[in-house]
Amino acid sequence: MAENTKIEWTDHTFNPWEGCQKVGPGCDHCYAETRNARFAGGTAANWGPGAPRRRTSTSNWNKPKAWNANAEAFMAVHGRRQRVFCASLADVFDNAVDPQWRADLFELIRATPNLDWLLLTKRIGNAAAMIQTALANMDIGYSVPFAAWPWPNVWIGATIVNQEEADRDIPKLLAVPAAKRFLSMEPLLEPVSLRWLSAWPENAPATAQSPTGSTNHLDGLRRLDWVIVGGESGPGARPMHPDWARSLRDQCNAAGVPFLFKQWGEWLPGENEPHPDVKERDGSPRRVAHHQDGRWGTSTTKITDTNYVTWDAEGTMRPGKVDYRWRVMSWAEKVGKKAAGRLLDGRTWDGFPAP
């Protein structure tokens, strides 16, 4: 439940409780629900409407205190503070969670000031009110001094997988006082524009007083501290078009916002190349977009209807067979998370907020 993690953007994961409910398209293939079912005899006992959430053990709750005590040694090695992702198997702002559990979590966060807590949620609309309730329910006699919100070691993040969620939830994120605000755009399911988002008051429409409207189309984006982008992994994973990731990278770079590309997921895209079944005129296999260990590889593996997908010029997914002899389209092959890796245009992108 609490561990040193392989997630690229954090150092530890901590789950104060386990369980959740699907609330959007990004939840369709939830790895945490699958895990819950695996450890509960085949049924996700803590998932769905009316399902009880399961609070984790006292020993698990003590682990962040040990990380906090190790802060000086960690800083000496890494030159920065430790980051804690809370909660990878639940949602801090889940309506079904006992409010006292949330108050206990905030007491733990207050007791670990040497850790940066990353509270990522799919329910950002609940965050502001639930934080205030949690603060009100905290033990005022606790040994660590109480400070006014926002606390400097709490970052608030919203999961965004499509344009609809961006338009709806980024304004809600901006309404939550926080030391830092970030987006986790994973799994990214379609192209998303952050430059001209209506959430930014800087992107004002044209009016009689201002006929041209606002041209500061990047000022609003700068109100975010960090953007994380990634494709989907696990059973049933949906592919991510490389241009969707590139666009967000370019938007962030133009605005000076740190950008982290986490992974491709199960699908590795190939671009401007025929399908790997298509041969060169001399009969040799085409070179295809398989980046592994920093090298290009070739493939003669038979690709079936179920393990590749193509996109048309407008970026619409087209699963199934396509005649690659006459049309060259962007395509992706299902190679698995490890083989797909996390290189975007031949390099890693590991932007982080400034300390």
Side-chain angles (χ1 to χ4, degrees):
M1 293 301 161
E3 60 183 10
N4 297 322
T5 178
K6 294 181 180 179
I7 298 175
E8 291 80 1
W9 47 268
T10 190
D11 302 299
H12 312 286
T13 58
F14 172 71
N15 285 282
W17 50 83
E18 183 176 0
C20 200
Q21 178 179 339
K22 291 184 167 103
V23 293
C27 303
D28 288 352
H29 306 131
C30 179
Y31 72 91
E33 181 181 16
T34 302
R35 180 190 182 280
N36 190 257
R38 186 169 69 249
F39 285 95
T43 300
N46 305 117
W47 243 260
R53 308 307 187 235
R54 185 183 68 83
R55 180 160 170 153
T56 56
S57 66
T58 300
S59 61
N60 184 61
W61 278 68
N62 285 332
K63 288 181 180 180
K65 296 178 181 179
W67 304 332
N68 186 73
N70 191 49
E72 186 174 341
F74 186 94
M75 177 66 76
V77 173
H78 300 280
R80 60 171 177 82
R81 293 163 58 87
Q82 297 168 85
R83 294 182 289 265
V84 180
F85 171 25
C86 178
S88 62
L89 303 178
D91 194 316
V92 172
F93 303 111
D94 180 1
N95 292 296
V97 171
D98 184 336
Q100 188 55 52
W101 291 7
R102 196 175 295 109
D104 295 344
L105 171 63
F106 276 78
E107 286 192 1
L108 177 62
I109 293 173
R110 183 173 62 168
T112 52
N114 297 319
L115 305 177
D116 286 332
W117 287 81
L118 282 59
L119 308 186
L120 175 63
T121 180
K122 292 181 172 67
R123 297 165 173 82
I124 191 62
N126 291 345
M130 286 186 174
I131 289 171
Q132 291 306 312
T133 300
L135 299 181
N137 290 342
M138 286 172 57
D139 181 1
I140 60 174
Y142 204 71
S143 58
V144 177
F146 182 80
W149 188 265
W151 295 346
N153 67 328
V154 178
W155 306 4
I156 303 294
T159 296
I160 302 293
V161 304
N162 57 31
Q163 190 69 53
E164 179 183 1
E165 291 186 353
D167 294 336
R168 181 192 69 203
D169 290 340
I170 291 178
K172 298 175 183 177
L173 173 63
L174 298 176
V176 182
K180 295 187 186 297
R181 300 183 186 90
F182 66 100
L183 303 181
S184 174
M185 307 185 74
E186 181 190 10
L188 186 63
L189 300 180
E190 68 179 41
V192 177
S193 172
L194 301 177
R195 292 168 61 100
W196 299 103
L197 193 66
S198 59
W200 317 131
E202 295 84 354
N203 293 348
T207 65
Q209 292 75 25
S210 178
T212 61
S214 171
T215 58
N216 298 324
H217 57 276
L218 294 173
D219 288 347
L221 180 52
R222 294 186 183 105
R223 296 165 68 194
L224 295 173
D225 297 287
W226 194 21
V227 174
I228 302 165
V229 171
E232 191 170 33
S233 59
R238 292 156 285 188
M240 175 177 60
H241 194 298
D243 286 347
W244 305 347
R246 286 194 186 103
S247 173
L248 288 164
R249 175 201 61 194
D250 295 345
Q251 292 174 59
C252 288
N253 285 349
V257 175
F259 171 86
L260 187 145
F261 185 67
K262 181 176 179 286
Q263 63 179 25
W264 286 110
E266 300 295 325
W267 296 82
L268 182 65
E271 296 181 278
N272 301 319
E273 292 277 356
H275 188 275
D277 282 349
V278 176
K279 308 293 183 181
E280 297 282 16
R281 290 190 178 184
D282 63 2
S284 62
R286 288 285 290 183
R287 189 179 71 170
V288 297
H290 289 250
H291 254 116
Q292 192 170 7
D293 300 327
R295 298 189 302 273
W296 288 100
T298 59
S299 172
T300 57
T301 304
K302 178 68 176 177
I303 306 299
T304 69
D305 287 347
T306 58
N307 66 2
Y308 83 89
V309 69
T310 64
W311 293 277
D312 63 19
E314 287 72 42
T316 303
M317 270 182 226
R318 306 291 185 191
K321 286 291 186 184
V322 176
D323 187 343
Y324 284 86
R325 292 173 297 177
W326 310 113
R327 295 187 63 191
V328 176
M329 306 168 72
S330 293
W331 58 272
E333 183 183 358
K334 195 171 186 180
V335 299
K337 177 181 174 181
K338 183 177 180 180
R342 53 189 302 263
L343 297 179
L344 174 61
D345 290 336
R347 54 159 287 191
T348 56
W349 301 85
D350 285 331
F352 288 92

